[in-house]
Amino acid sequence: MSRFLKLLFRNRLAGLGAVVLGAIVLLVLITPLLPLQPPNVTDTANRFLPPFSEGHLLGTDHLGRDLLSRLLYGTRLSLAVGVAAAVIAATLGSAIGIVAGFYGGRVDNVIMRGVDMLMAFPYILLALAIVAALGPGLLNALIAVAAVNVPFFARNIRGVTVGLAHREFVDAARLAGMSNARIILVEVLPNVLPVIVIAMSTTVGWMILETAGLSFLGLGSQPPVADLGSMLGEARSALITNPHTSIVPGVMIFLIVMSVNLLGDGVRDALDPRLRSGALARPKAVTDVRREGAVPQTPQKGLLDLQELQTQFHAGGRVFRAVGGVSLHVKPGECLGIIGESGSGKSVTALSVMGLVASPPGVITGGAVRYDGTDLLSEPYEGLRRRRGRNVAYIFQDPQATLHPLYRVGDQLSEAILSHHAVSRAEAEKRCLELMRAVRIPNPGSRMRAYPHELSGGMRQRIGIAMAMANDPDVIIADEPTTALDVTVQAQILALLDDLRRERGLAIVFITHDFGVVAQLCDRVAVMYAGRIVEEGRTDDVLALPRHPYTSRLIDCVPELGGGKRRLEAIPGLPPMVDDLPPGCAFAPRCHKARAECTAGEVDLGVTGDRAVRCLYPEDAPKREVAE
Ligand code: ADP
Ligand code: MG
């Protein structure tokens, strides 16, 4: 709740709306306690007194009634009727929508055609017809306004419910033997509730206006009782001679509707789960770079060289140090593995290279990323955009999520080519076929016209690789590309990547959490823990003699076929949260060799030859050469 309020008030306008509306609501709640004149007592001797007259702060109307008192009582009535209409419309409409969407089929058809009929009438005309049939009066106006708004809720909520009714958790509830009514109440309703609240908060202002409109026409509140609409209606004849009688209720209507709408927008933004984690803004096209220290000037070691890279997330007053000074390089034709448990900062490191970390909340706060001599972090956006996909391409873990579900895979591949090359469609298509052949997709001609859901996981990942290859990049960063696949397909994909690198001299950065995969593919490996490199070296060396206890424990977690019986060692404990890192070695709390010095101060990366390890007491005996 406090999080919700914080998000709400981050939006200044919504905060203003909340304050104004809060003040108005408070005022009308305490109205009966205020020392006001009675609102309906006429005093013809004091007609049309101007504002700030003795005893009448806002003046009087054409019958000499105190405007301030009428205004507050009128606002009370208008707000109550508008909100009541909104609640009734939302409850009825949502119930109709949920039932229609949940049961579907004939029930849906009958209900929604009825709703469509209501929607076919012009809005205000329908309200007028209802009031005409029921007779004028505030209660009937309320019924009319609620009735004409029911279809709006029914349509919205039905759409959301249809999407939910076929989801797995609803099936699971059915399997558990829950009744339909219970499923609706327990499973569906909580999921549509935010939508209902949002729809309500954005329409309640409109309903207050509609009620005022009916009263203005004399169909709502009846004299002498006033609401804001009827006050305006009565003041109409004196609009020119005594404008204050119209201005007073007019300003109040404006304030209410304005603040309700601003607040409604704010509530919508704050409740939207996609906006909740970040700031209330779309991520920028390139990650923010705010380097605090000097830019490292070490000579470049490979084609792609990350130097002391630091990437943080600034969210909700907390700082997550996802990448805390990472140095890595990769040469043409080389494969560098990055390994570490989930959450160790591998993906964020990879995304930082091309400025793809979502900003806000992501910020690159230090270091340099050099590609063939240029620092990518100081490159302007256009330059970086031209390099994306062309110099450095990405393959992501889940091709289902990165492929657009509604376009054919061939078109998506062509798109990747066309975004960098001014070639004809036919030529792009020809290149597509070549690429699909290169990644060993059988029948590329017919597969081009397939949609992503028609391909198997392995095929989709091949499309992902083909997309990455589309512009002949020099570096490919593969972020756990085989984690979602089964082992046979994984072996094929790894072999494919290995061939591509040997044939084309690609540099590959391969991110994984599986040492088995690293052993198969990578020349060198860097082990990450809590956003830092803890060990780096040639894969053979690291596997034969892991020096950091963390590396050693990671290797112990890999089962070995035919290696005899061996206890698989899980690493006790969990990786630390990166917003609150302990001083010194981050692995110390889980390390069996940790001593007091480990957490006393910074532990440096000790480099000997092509081996680096960040540990005060590294392992020195070769690892498990015999398994009994
Ligand atoms: P992995 O090694 O599994 O790829 P990531 O690089 O995705 O890990 O994440 C590194 C760390 O950054 C994690 O601790 C994660 O909690 C944090 N992180 C990632 N995205 C965000 C975000 N939007 N806001 C805050 N923290 C984040
Ligand atoms: Mg990841």
Side-chain angles (χ1 to χ4, degrees):
M1 192 63 204
S2 68
R3 215 175 128 62
F4 168 75
L5 286 180
K6 221 157 117 193
L7 271 175
L8 188 65
F9 277 88
R10 175 130 31 114
N11 180 343
R12 293 264 164 75
L13 285 175
L16 182 72
V19 169
V20 173
L21 191 66
I24 294 175
V25 169
L26 188 73
L27 211 55
V28 300
L29 282 181
I30 59 169
T31 298
L33 307 177
L34 296 179
L36 293 169
Q37 316 251 4
N40 299 328
V41 172
T42 54
D43 176 9
T44 31
N46 287 321
R47 300 176 66 217
F48 291 128
L49 283 185
F52 305 112
S53 308
E54 169 90 55
H56 301 284
L57 193 57
L58 293 179
T60 56
D61 69 357
H62 64 293
L63 295 177
R65 296 175 292 197
D66 181 50
L67 268 182
L68 178 64
S69 167
R70 282 180 81 70
L71 177 76
L72 289 183
Y73 279 100
T75 307
R76 206 172 142 87
L77 211 52
S78 281
L79 271 181
V81 173
V83 172
V87 170
I88 294 173
T91 313
L92 264 180
S94 307
I96 292 175
I98 289 180
V99 168
F102 184 77
Y103 288 99
R106 188 169 301 162
V107 178
D108 184 26
N109 239 323
V110 170
I111 293 183
M112 291 325 283
R113 292 306 80 76
V115 168
D116 287 347
M117 256 154 58
L118 271 183
M119 280 188 118
F121 288 100
Y123 218 55
I124 203 78
L125 214 63
L126 185 61
L128 282 178
I130 295 175
V131 174
L134 298 177
L138 207 49
L139 189 64
N140 293 343
L142 189 160
I143 294 173
V145 171
V148 298
N149 281 291
V150 162
F152 167 78
F153 283 95
R155 276 233 155 266
N156 266 337
I157 301 305
R158 175 192 169 269
V160 181
T161 312
V162 166
L164 288 169
H166 300 287
R167 293 274 288 277
E168 287 78 358
F169 66 88
V170 174
D171 290 342
R174 254 191 215 121
L175 283 177
M178 280 189 180
S179 67
N180 281 335
R182 215 179 126 87
I183 294 178
I184 287 181
L185 283 182
V186 179
E187 308 285 332
V188 178
L189 189 61
N191 281 293
V192 294
L193 210 52
V195 187
I196 299 176
V197 172
I198 289 164
M200 215 168 105
S201 65
T202 44
T203 47
V204 66
W206 181 232
M207 296 201 209
I208 291 173
L209 267 187
E210 281 169 7
T211 322
L214 288 177
S215 290
F216 179 83
L217 296 174
L219 300 170
S221 76
Q222 297 302 309
V225 175
D227 74 350
L228 292 174
S230 63
M231 279 178 78
L232 266 182
E234 287 168 2
R236 190 175 37 165
S237 50
L239 184 62
I240 307 294
T241 48
N242 291 289
H244 72 273
T245 48
S246 323
I247 290 175
V248 165
V251 166
M252 186 52 109
I253 291 182
F254 171 79
L255 280 181
I256 292 177
V257 174
M258 202 61 194
S259 58
V260 165
N261 286 352
L262 288 177
L263 183 63
D265 283 353
V267 167
R268 186 195 57 210
D269 289 350
L271 280 181
D272 189 328
R274 280 163 305 174
L275 298 171
R276 220 183 295 173
S277 56
L280 292 170
R282 201 162 58 96
K284 298 180 192 164
V286 55
T287 312
D288 282 335
V289 178
R290 290 199 290 272
R291 281 187 278 205
E292 280 145 14
V295 178
Q297 296 297 346
T298 25
Q300 195 167 346
K301 281 189 263 180
L303 177 63
L304 180 68
D305 196 348
L306 278 62
Q307 301 173 340
E308 288 302 315
L309 179 72
Q310 293 185 29
T311 306
Q312 305 182 342
F313 292 98
H314 295 186
R318 292 198 296 176
V319 175
F320 296 84
R321 290 171 222 286
V323 180
V326 164
S327 301
L328 289 171
H329 65 274
V330 60
K331 300 194 183 81
E334 190 183 34
C335 179
L336 167 73
I338 302 181
I339 188 167
E341 280 166 286
S342 180
S344 49
K346 310 180 295 291
S347 299
V348 178
T349 307
L351 292 172
S352 302
V353 170
M354 280 279 138
L356 290 170
V357 178
S359 260
V363 193
I364 294 176
T365 50
V369 177
R370 295 189 198 283
Y371 175 85
D372 203 14
T374 9
D375 179 17
L376 297 181
L377 298 185
S378 27
E379 184 107 323
Y381 169 62
E382 259 313 306
L384 202 59
R385 197 181 69 82
R386 253 177 274 128
R387 287 177 187 279
R388 285 179 182 170
R390 182 174 233 178
N391 289 152
V392 178
Y394 285 87
I395 306 170
F396 291 105
Q397 173 174 357
D398 183 3
Q400 180 80 304
T402 38
L403 289 173
H404 196 296
L406 299 182
Y407 289 111
R408 299 173 199 278
V409 292
D411 294 342
Q412 301 192 47
L413 255 176
S414 313
E415 197 181 26
I417 299 169
L418 290 171
S419 65
H420 284 292
H421 299 277
V423 293
S424 69
R425 274 224 153 263
E427 236 166 293
E429 229 162 74
K430 208 172 115 231
R431 176 109 179 82
C432 272
L433 284 177
E434 274 166 35
L435 281 170
M436 289 171 84
R437 246 174 250 127
V439 296
R440 319 254 157 79
I441 293 181
N443 300 329
S446 63
R447 285 289 157 81
M448 263 180 70
R449 263 165 277 289
Y451 289 96
H453 71 269
E454 294 169 333
L455 301 178
S456 67
M459 281 300 153
R460 278 198 293 263
Q461 193 51 287
R462 276 166 221 233
I463 298 284
I465 297 176
M467 269 171 123
M469 303 286 309
N471 295 295
D472 245 328
D474 302 310
V475 181
I476 283 195
I477 299 180
D479 192 350
E480 312 209 25
T482 58
T483 307
L485 307 176
D486 51 47
V487 276
T488 49
V489 182
Q490 164 167 317
Q492 290 171 6
I493 299 271
L494 291 184
L496 180 65
L497 280 173
D498 204 38
D499 288 351
L500 289 174
R501 128 176 116 104
R502 288 183 204 288
E503 284 164 20
R504 309 192 184 204
L506 268 176
I508 298 183
V509 177
F510 195 95
I511 298 174
T512 176
H513 54 245
D514 184 351
F515 247 116
V517 175
V518 170
Q520 215 174 327
L521 186 69
C522 301
D523 306 308
R524 282 188 303 121
V525 60
V527 183
M528 268 191 95
Y529 189 78
R532 318 193 75 171
I533 303 285
V534 295
E535 178 158 13
E536 192 190 338
R538 290 174 33 77
T539 307
D540 306 339
D541 297 347
V542 173
L543 282 174
L545 173 54
R547 303 216 60 208
H548 198 285
Y550 178 59
T551 318
S552 159
R553 303 300 290 267
L554 269 187
I555 293 175
D556 283 345
C557 294
V558 181
E560 207 176 346
L561 280 183
K565 268 194 186 162
R566 176 169 67 86
R567 246 177 80 88
L568 281 183
E569 297 287 345
I571 307 178
L574 290 172
M577 286 294 291
V578 285
D579 65 329
D580 186 22
L581 284 179
C585 176
F587 186 61
R590 301 168 73 189
C591 181
H592 63 291
K593 297 178 87 175
R595 301 187 207 166
E597 302 91 280
C598 293
T599 48
E602 191 67 8
V603 181
D604 291 323
L605 195 66
V607 184
T608 37
D610 56 3
R611 196 67 185 276
V613 59
R614 191 188 294 278
C615 184
L616 295 179
Y617 303 103
E619 314 262 10
D620 37 25
K623 199 71 206 160
R624 58 175 167 94
E625 59 291 50
V626 270
E628 66 272 27

